[in-house]
Amino acid sequence: MYKWKEDVRMKTILMDMTKGTDESLMSEAGKIIREGGLVAFPTETVYGLGGNALDPEASGKIYAAKGRPSDNPLIVHIADMSALEPIAAEIPEQARKLAQKFWPGPLTMVFRKTDLVPMATTGGLDTVAVRMPDNEIALELIRAGGGYIAAPSANTSGRPSPTKASHVMDDLEGKIECVIDGGPVGIGVESTIVDLTEGAPVILRPGYINQQMLEDALKVEVTIDKGLTANDPSIHPKAPGMKYRHYAPKAGLVIVEGKAEAVVEKISALTEVDVKEGKKVGIIATNETAGLYRQGLVKSAGTREDEITISQRLYSILREFDDMDVDRIYSEAFETPQLGQAIMNRLIKAAGHQIINV
Ligand code: TXA
Ligand code: MG
């Protein structure tokens, strides 16, 4: 396997497309992909680290740059429906319905793969995860790059996914050819992954497109992979990546769950003890509660009135607390209606399952 070596640092080009796509820069970025290099780019969910999905060596470089275990498959990004058939051995009717309704958008679907997709891209699986992102820069880059871009989130493995180009530069500068800055992303948590290879649709990773939205579109029951919520370690998640402790901040993170008032009281009490011991404490709150904390470094993720503000800010806050070298982070729980499942899935993983109920 290709191995990225510490001593081969390269100059990472930062392309500014915050004011819109740029034709000549885009053709340069497309050329990098077609020649086997890596370009990080914005999508509507998080920034992706892109390489030619049909080139096993490019996939190898992605794993190496991220420091990611190579049994963790990559999502193949396409820009047009006509690109699906060459890589999916079978396209179930339900997948067509979901594509019609949610593509381009934050939904990834798992198909049985054709031989066109190298095993290096799918981590040795005979299935392939595919998504069409809802972002103009991403779509143009996919077309300029030859039609198939493998892209995991553009973070170093184990760090929160990047929601701004500066996060990507922090993690990958010197390791990849190019980063396209398209400004901050809109959703902030990774796409929903749905497996359609077993007949009944199963959610392998919750995201913006939630269970209810999928059931409404398909008019059948959609289940959630048992491996995501099981306490039994012998039940593995079906998406290999979901078994890793991703999104882990350097400081210990503890979630406090319950009625708003009780949560504020509990976090305040815990913070008081830590501060007395000389610890630096970060608190993840919301606009509704931020003013109620008397101690600690308080950051508001957003407002419960508009839950996407919370998903947008969450990973960024975890990185900010990392940079501030806090010793401990307390977070309120965010069981909001549409995005709650996706947000809490990430937060619980970041917390290594440390949850206090009040
Ligand atoms: O929103 C997103 O999906 C972002 C942007 C960049 O598109 N991408 C992303 O990729 O989150 P990544 O590599 O960080 O996460 C991909 C997840 C992993 O948990 C992986 O195990 C799972 O998708 N996955 C990929 N291919 C799969 C397959 N064939 N079967 C099951 N799970 C798969
Ligand atoms: Mg990731």
Side-chain angles (χ1 to χ4, degrees), residues 176-236:
I176 62 176
E177 281 79 359
C178 176
V179 175
I180 303 179
D181 186 354
V185 300
I187 294 177
V189 291
E190 305 84 346
S191 62
T192 308
I193 304 180
V194 179
D195 185 358
L196 295 160
T197 60
E198 312 267 0
V202 182
I203 296 175
L204 304 189
R205 177 173 73 182
Y208 180 86
I209 310 284
N210 66 19
Q211 189 174 17
Q212 189 63 53
M213 291 159 82
L214 294 167
E215 289 187 341
D216 289 347
L218 292 175
K219 313 261 184 296
V220 298
E221 195 195 346
V222 175
T223 58
I224 298 187
D225 180 18
K226 285 189 193 66
L228 290 186
T229 46
N231 281 326
D232 180 351
S234 67
I235 304 175
H236 298 295

Side-chain angles (χ1 to χ4, degrees), residues 15-309:
M15 293 181 176
D16 182 0
M17 297 198 200
T18 50
K19 305 233 157 35
T21 56
D22 176 290
E23 215 175 299
S24 83
L25 289 178
M26 193 54 90
S27 78
E28 197 185 324
K31 185 162 174 269
I32 294 173
I33 298 275
R34 277 183 280 107
E35 290 177 350
L38 305 184
V39 177
F41 62 98
T43 78
E44 78 281 38
T45 57
V46 299
Y47 273 75
L49 174 57
N52 180 359
L54 308 185
D55 173 359
E57 245 180 78
S59 295
K61 285 185 193 173
I62 292 175
Y63 288 109
K66 274 182 67 87
R68 173 172 172 138
S70 59
D71 67 343
N72 188 1
L74 307 175
I75 294 173
V76 177
H77 295 65
I78 58 173
D80 300 282
M81 209 43 205
S82 60
L84 182 58
E85 230 153 90
I87 55 171
E90 195 187 346
I91 305 172
E93 195 42 44
Q94 288 178 335
R96 288 191 194 279
K97 267 194 203 156
L98 293 181
Q100 175 92 31
K101 182 140 179 99
F102 297 115
W103 276 2
L107 177 72
T108 296
M109 290 189 270
V110 177
F111 300 94
R112 289 200 301 110
K113 78 173 194 70
T114 65
D115 290 340
L116 191 61
V117 188
M119 286 288 187
T121 299
T122 64
L125 297 179
D126 57 6
T127 54
V128 60
V130 186
R131 112 171 174 94
M132 190 188 292
D134 186 14
N135 177 292
E136 211 38 59
I137 296 172
L139 294 170
E140 284 190 26
L141 181 70
I142 295 163
R143 292 188 188 113
Y148 298 97
I149 292 191
S153 48
N155 51 288
T156 299
S157 200
R159 294 212 72 202
S161 293
T163 53
K164 298 177 192 167
S166 63
H167 296 158
V168 182
M169 290 298 272
D170 286 346
D171 283 11
L172 299 176
E173 185 175 12
K175 297 185 177 184
I176 62 176
E177 281 79 359
C178 176
V179 175
I180 303 179
D181 186 354
V185 300
I187 294 177
V189 291
E190 305 84 346
S191 62
T192 308
I193 304 180
V194 179
D195 185 358
L196 295 160
T197 60
E198 312 267 0
V202 182
I203 296 175
L204 304 189
R205 177 173 73 182
Y208 180 86
I209 310 284
N210 66 19
Q211 189 174 17
Q212 189 63 53
M213 291 159 82
L214 294 167
E215 289 187 341
D216 289 347
L218 292 175
K219 313 261 184 296
V220 298
E221 195 195 346
V222 175
T223 58
I224 298 187
D225 180 18
K226 285 189 193 66
L228 290 186
T229 46
N231 281 326
D232 180 351
S234 67
I235 304 175
H236 298 295
K238 278 199 73 185
M242 299 302 278
K243 70 174 181 270
Y244 296 106
R245 185 182 166 211
H246 271 194
Y247 330 114
K250 282 182 231 157
L253 168 63
V254 177
I255 303 167
V256 180
E257 198 172 43
K259 287 230 170 65
E261 250 171 63
V263 166
V264 172
E265 212 172 287
K266 182 72 184 176
I267 292 181
S268 299
L270 291 165
T271 302
E272 194 177 333
V273 174
D274 287 343
V275 168
K276 270 201 190 119
E277 289 173 3
K279 290 196 183 112
K280 206 170 171 184
V281 178
I283 298 172
I284 308 179
T286 52
N287 295 356
E288 289 77 20
T289 56
L292 303 173
Y293 296 99
R294 312 234 162 273
Q295 287 180 304
L297 302 156
V298 184
K299 286 185 186 285
S300 172
T303 168
R304 287 177 194 271
E305 303 285 301
D306 185 9
E307 50 183 314
I308 200 160
T309 57

Side-chain angles (χ1 to χ4, degrees), residues 253-258 263 267 283-289 293 299-304 306-307 309-311 313-315 317-318 329-348 355:
L253 168 63
V254 177
I255 303 167
V256 180
E257 198 172 43
V263 166
I267 292 181
I283 298 172
I284 308 179
T286 52
N287 295 356
E288 289 77 20
T289 56
Y293 296 99
K299 286 185 186 285
S300 172
T303 168
R304 287 177 194 271
D306 185 9
E307 50 183 314
T309 57
I310 298 173
S311 62
R313 280 272 295 143
L314 184 68
Y315 284 143
I317 291 181
L318 292 176
I329 305 169
Y330 295 110
S331 179
E332 298 176 5
F334 302 105
E335 308 280 13
T336 55
Q338 187 193 334
L339 273 157
Q341 205 161 45
I343 295 172
M344 288 309 290
N345 168 266
R346 282 25 170 222
L347 201 56
I348 288 169
I355 308 171

Side-chain angles (χ1 to χ4, degrees), residues 1-17:
M1 195 189 110
Y2 178 93
K3 231 175 156 33
W4 183 78
K5 298 184 201 72
E6 262 310 316
D7 54 331
V8 241
R9 291 191 79 82
M10 55 179 100
K11 167 109 186 72
T12 301
I13 309 164
L14 181 61
M15 293 181 176
D16 182 0
M17 297 198 200

